[in-house]
């Protein structure tokens, strides 16, 4: 029987069982996750369906061998009250997600948000299910920053957390959870804490990606700052500064709204999240505040760089105007003298004098040299 048929078979299945006792929770290593991640959304890596990336059952933190379909796994877990199912999807359609929503009893509003995406980071509770939305961020590598370079790319991860299941819905071509799943499976004692531990690990990875992106953006800002304050900084392209500000705004829209949801996860009592795990959400919130402060500092720095660049352009224009004015004054002397003697009058001084022409030329040259030296002394030329 197909997966969809199995899901329809128990669309009204009720949840039973409870969350295992919560012990110590170890932090997942952060920096190691900043390397290249495998994109499990590729059809060749999705044997369970066009949108299903993976479906795994965990008991006591250990991954059970494949062999049972999703419905049988959920039935067994709910009867025994031990373990949970982690179902990962990538950009599912409404039809693909409908049977899954029926099986796990997901709220229609949360299902609509998960399918259509483009949501703000948030945390909502629907009966016994917790629905969280995270904005993912990926730094886009580029050789040279231009006025049209894409600096950051954003996506979304929606997480449904129940007593015996975790459903992750990913939108975008980055933010794969495959490496995170492997790291969690390498720490069975962490997975044994239940779905809340998976939610914490996802939030931790998302915020770590924020920090990695802000560090990379800082390198671009430093390069722009160096170019602006170079000797020829007035000729720097201001479009690069505006592009960085636009990309920083996109990063800000992803990072800043997550502050309130993380505070909810870290402070408000919830049946799904034990107090011991909430302490780790407070640690994630601290890292998020660091990323938020960095983004605010970058925004102020870019404003200062832009103002400095505009000031440099103004100074350069003033210098150019002074040079033009100085040369115009120098050229005005011969223009004035030649204009006077270009008038066709019969009775003009020195008009028929043998030394009139050399005298006039000497006066012109002397006046021009004196003006030139005076302007050079005052820094106009």
């Amino acid at each position: 029987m197909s997966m969809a048929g199995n899901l329809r078979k128990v669309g009204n299945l009720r949840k039973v069982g409870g969350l295992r006792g919560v012990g110590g929770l170890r932090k997942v290593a952060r920096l190691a996750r900043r390397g290249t991640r495998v994109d499990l959304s590729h059809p060749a890596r999705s044997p369970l369906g066009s949108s299903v990336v993976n479906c795994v059952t965990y008991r006591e933190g250990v991954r059970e061998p494949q062999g049972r379909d999703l419905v049988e796994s959920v039935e067994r877990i709910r009867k025994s009250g031990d373990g949970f199912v982690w179902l990962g999807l990538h950009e599912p359609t409404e039809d693909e997600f409908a049977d899954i929503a029926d099986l796990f009893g997901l709220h229609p509003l949360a299902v609509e948000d998960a399918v259509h995406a483009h949501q703000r980071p948030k945390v909502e509770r629907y009966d016994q299910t917790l629905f969280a939305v995270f904005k993912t961020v990926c730094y886009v590598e580029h050789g040279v920053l231009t006025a049209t370079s894409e600096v950051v790319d954003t996506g979304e991860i929606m997480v449904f957390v129940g007593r015996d299941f975790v459903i992750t819905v990913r939108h975008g071509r980055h933010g794969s959870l495959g490496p995170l799943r492997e790291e969690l499976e390498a720490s069975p004692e962490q997975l044994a804490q239940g779905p809340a531990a998976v939610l914490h690990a996802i939030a931790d990875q998302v915020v770590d990606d924020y920090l990695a992106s802000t560090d990379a953006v800082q390198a671009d800002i430093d390069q722009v700052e160096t170019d602006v304050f170079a000797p020829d900084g007035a000729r720097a392209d201001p479009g690069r500064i505006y592009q960085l500000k636009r990309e920083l705004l996109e990063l800000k829209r992803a990072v800043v709204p997550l502050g309130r949801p993380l505070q909810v996860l870290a402070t408000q009592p919830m049946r799904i999240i034990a107090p011991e795990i909430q302490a780790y959400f407070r640690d994630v919130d601290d890292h998020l505040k660091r990323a938020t402060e960095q983004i605010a500092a970058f925004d102020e720095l870019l404003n200062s760089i832009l103002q400095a660049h505009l000031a440099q352009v103004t100074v350069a224009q003033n210098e150019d105007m002074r040079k033009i004015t100085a040369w115009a004054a120098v050229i005005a002397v011969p223009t004035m003298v030649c204009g006077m003697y270009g008038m066709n009058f019969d009775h003009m001084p020195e008009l028929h004098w043998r030394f009139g022409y050399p005298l006039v030329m000497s006066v012109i040259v002397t006046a021009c040299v004196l003006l030139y030296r005076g302007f050079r002394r005052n820094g106009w030329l």
Side-chain angles (χ1 to χ4, degrees):
M1 183 181 295
S2 65
M3 178 182 177
N6 288 326
L7 291 173
R8 294 188 184 97
K9 183 177 63 175
V10 289
N12 58 352
L13 185 65
R14 297 181 179 273
K15 303 181 182 69
V16 297
L19 184 64
R20 291 179 56 84
V22 180
L25 182 65
R26 299 196 308 174
K27 288 288 290 177
V28 178
R30 292 186 171 90
L31 297 178
R33 292 200 295 261
R34 296 182 181 177
T36 303
R37 295 193 175 98
V38 179
D39 191 349
L40 298 180
S41 66
H42 192 278
R45 300 181 181 274
S46 301
L48 300 179
S50 59
S51 65
V52 179
V53 176
N54 213 334
C55 179
V56 181
T57 302
Y58 296 97
R59 287 180 178 275
E60 297 182 356
V62 179
R63 176 173 182 161
E64 288 195 340
Q66 297 292 340
R68 300 183 179 88
D69 61 18
L70 176 61
V71 173
E72 293 178 357
S73 300
V74 173
E75 287 178 337
R76 182 182 176 187
I77 287 175
R78 289 177 176 174
K79 288 179 180 179
S80 64
D82 182 21
F84 66 95
V85 174
W86 184 353
L87 177 64
L89 301 99
H90 179 260
E91 298 182 356
T93 63
E94 292 183 4
D95 294 336
E96 292 173 332
F97 203 61
D99 295 321
I100 297 175
D102 291 339
L103 173 61
F104 293 100
L106 305 181
H107 196 278
L109 292 177
V111 172
E112 181 181 359
D113 292 343
V115 172
H116 296 288
H118 304 295
Q119 304 295 319
R120 283 173 56 89
K122 61 181 179 179
V123 171
E124 296 179 345
R125 283 178 284 186
Y126 298 98
D127 296 330
Q128 301 297 321
T129 303
L130 190 68
F131 177 63
V133 178
F134 300 98
K135 283 281 190 179
T136 59
V137 173
C138 177
Y139 178 77
V140 180
E141 297 290 344
H142 47 267
V144 179
L145 179 66
T146 65
T148 58
S149 296
E150 184 181 11
V151 179
V152 294
D153 184 26
T154 58
E156 293 180 46
I157 295 179
M158 286 78 167
V159 186
F160 294 88
V161 180
R163 293 180 300 175
D164 49 21
F165 68 88
V166 176
I167 302 175
T168 55
V169 182
R170 185 166 61 89
H171 291 265
R173 297 298 300 176
H174 64 274
S176 173
L177 299 177
L180 176 63
R181 185 191 295 268
E182 295 176 359
E183 291 182 6
L184 288 173
E185 290 177 354
S187 302
E189 65 277 12
Q190 184 170 352
L191 272 177
Q193 311 310 316
V198 177
L199 178 62
H200 162 262
I202 294 173
D204 191 33
Q205 173 176 296
V206 169
V207 174
D208 284 344
D209 289 341
Y210 291 165
L211 294 174
S213 298
T214 54
D215 291 342
V217 170
Q218 183 175 9
D220 288 331
I221 296 177
D222 291 341
Q223 182 60 48
V224 169
E225 185 179 19
T226 301
D227 295 340
V228 167
F229 288 99
D232 58 344
R235 298 184 179 181
D237 183 11
R240 298 193 303 165
I241 305 177
Y242 283 108
Q243 180 66 12
L244 270 179
K245 285 185 67 66
R246 286 195 296 267
E247 295 295 309
L248 191 65
L249 178 60
E250 183 176 0
L251 181 60
K252 183 177 181 179
R253 288 173 178 172
V255 175
V256 175
L258 185 58
R260 178 57 183 168
L262 278 182
Q263 291 180 0
V264 171
L265 292 173
T267 59
Q268 293 188 7
M270 299 182 184
R271 295 181 180 179
I272 298 176
I273 302 177
E276 291 83 355
I277 298 181
Q278 284 188 321
Y280 290 91
F281 278 109
R282 288 194 290 270
D283 180 72
V284 176
D285 185 46
D286 290 339
H287 287 85
L288 179 68
K289 290 178 180 178
R290 174 189 165 193
T292 303
E293 291 172 357
Q294 283 184 327
I295 293 174
F298 291 164
D299 191 40
E300 293 295 330
L301 181 58
L302 283 175
N303 288 335
S304 300
I305 293 175
L306 182 60
Q307 294 297 327
H309 176 68
L310 295 178
Q312 285 182 326
V313 172
T314 302
V315 171
Q317 290 176 345
N318 291 337
E319 292 180 353
D320 293 339
M321 289 302 299
R322 288 195 302 178
K323 291 180 180 180
I324 293 173
T325 303
W327 282 113
V330 172
I331 296 173
V333 173
T335 301
M336 179 186 65
V337 175
C338 295
M340 290 178 57
Y341 279 89
M343 295 183 294
N344 297 321
F345 292 108
D346 293 333
H347 303 285
M348 293 185 66
E350 295 85 26
L351 189 61
H352 301 287
W353 186 33
R354 177 180 298 180
F355 301 102
Y357 176 75
L359 177 63
V360 171
M361 294 303 297
S362 299
V363 171
I364 292 176
V365 171
T366 302
C368 290
V369 170
L370 292 176
L371 286 174
Y372 179 79
R373 293 184 62 183
F375 286 132
R376 281 295 299 270
R377 187 181 302 111
N378 294 326
W380 284 45
L381 290 176

